[in-house]
Each structure stands twice: as structure tokens, then as C-alpha cells.
Amino acid sequence: MTQTQVDPSAMDGYEQLQAMIDGRLPPPPISETIGLVNFGGERGEISVELVPELRHYNPLGTVHGGVLSTMLDTAAGCSVHSTLAVGEGYTSLDLTVKFLRPATVDSGLLRAVGRVVHRGRRTALAEAQVVDARGRLVAHATSSCMIFS
């Protein structure tokens, strides 16, 4: 089967994510837009990385909060996605972000790791953290998600 012939509706959430990692399904366009790389993980815990570039900067000369928020939302949301059964979907209800230190090109590889804190029948709570190449915490987020059929 080619990439476009894989049927994601027959897969659970983790299998869908794994198909994206393996190239059997296309990655979400936002990954290419901002340069997310090294997507991976296991059920309930997903990570994604980004090499900061000048194109990610805000007018103050640091990585824009929206870029960090996108990393956090991706990691937290995909950690919930990885727990979905066949036929289930989800949507983010909120994302609360705390920026703890600026990130720049000198920060090196940024890594966001999201994990499910609680998974219920209708809602899920996830958290995510972005750390820099030295392991310093850059930002933290919590996200509530609604689960639906």
C-alpha cells in the first residue's frame, strides 16, 4: 500500500501516530511548517523536537511563544491521541502554558515530552514540558482534551 492507501480509520490512535512516524501516513502539515522532527514515543507519552532557527524568533530575539506552545500542544495532544481506541477522536479544550526561560538558537535542540496524566471516558488531562539541549526546563503546559466517537 502507498502512503495515501493506508486507512487510518481502521487504526487506534497509537497505530495512526506510528504510521506517520513510519511514513505510511503523511505527517501533519504543521510539522513541516515549523520544523518539528524526531516524533516518537509510546502509548500515553509522546515527544517531538525542534532545532531553533532565526525564523522562529519574535521581535525580542527569542523563540516565539507560539512556537513553544505548538510544541507543547503537539506533545500533550498526541500523548492523548496515542490512547484513542479505533473510532475515537479528540479535540483540545484548553492549553495553559508557562514560559520559564527564553529559548534561542544557542539553546540547542528543544525537546517537548507530553504525557497523559488522566484518561477518562470523555475527557483527558495531559501535560508537556520543553527542555533545551542542557536539560533546562524552558516551558510547561497542561491541556484538557475532549474524547468523542
Side-chain angles (χ1 to χ4, degrees):
M1 286 188 139
T2 66
Q3 182 172 315
T4 56
Q5 293 175 324
V6 174
D7 182 8
S9 67
M11 301 175 184
D12 69 25
Y14 183 74
E15 291 167 338
Q16 291 171 354
L17 295 173
Q18 193 61 51
M20 289 178 206
I21 293 165
D22 296 343
R24 293 177 288 131
L25 284 174
I30 191 66
S31 296
E32 185 177 330
T33 300
I34 68 169
L36 298 176
V37 296
N38 299 331
F39 187 83
E42 57 192 47
R43 293 181 194 274
E45 185 172 301
I46 300 294
S47 63
V48 65
E49 297 176 338
L50 176 108
V51 177
E53 301 173 18
L54 294 178
R55 69 182 174 128
H56 297 124
Y57 275 27
N58 60 30
L60 299 173
T62 61
V63 174
H64 192 283
V67 173
L68 295 172
S69 294
T70 300
M71 291 184 71
L72 291 162
D73 187 52
T74 299
C78 287
S79 70
V80 171
H81 190 124
S82 73
T83 70
L84 299 177
V86 174
E88 282 187 319
Y90 82 99
T91 189
S92 296
L93 294 172
D94 62 29
L95 180 73
T96 303
V97 177
K98 302 296 183 195
F99 302 106
L100 303 170
R101 75 174 66 247
T104 67
V105 294
D106 295 331
S107 299
L109 184 71
L110 300 177
R111 179 177 173 82
V113 177
R115 72 175 185 86
V116 175
V117 175
H118 173 76
R119 168 60 155 88
R121 198 170 43 88
R122 297 263 187 203
T123 61
L125 175 66
E127 67 178 1
Q129 295 183 343
V130 173
V131 296
D132 66 14
R134 292 187 213 148
R136 298 179 302 174
L137 188 59
V138 172
H140 178 271
T142 57
S143 177
S144 300
C145 298
M146 180 174 60
I147 311 295
F148 54 86
S149 298

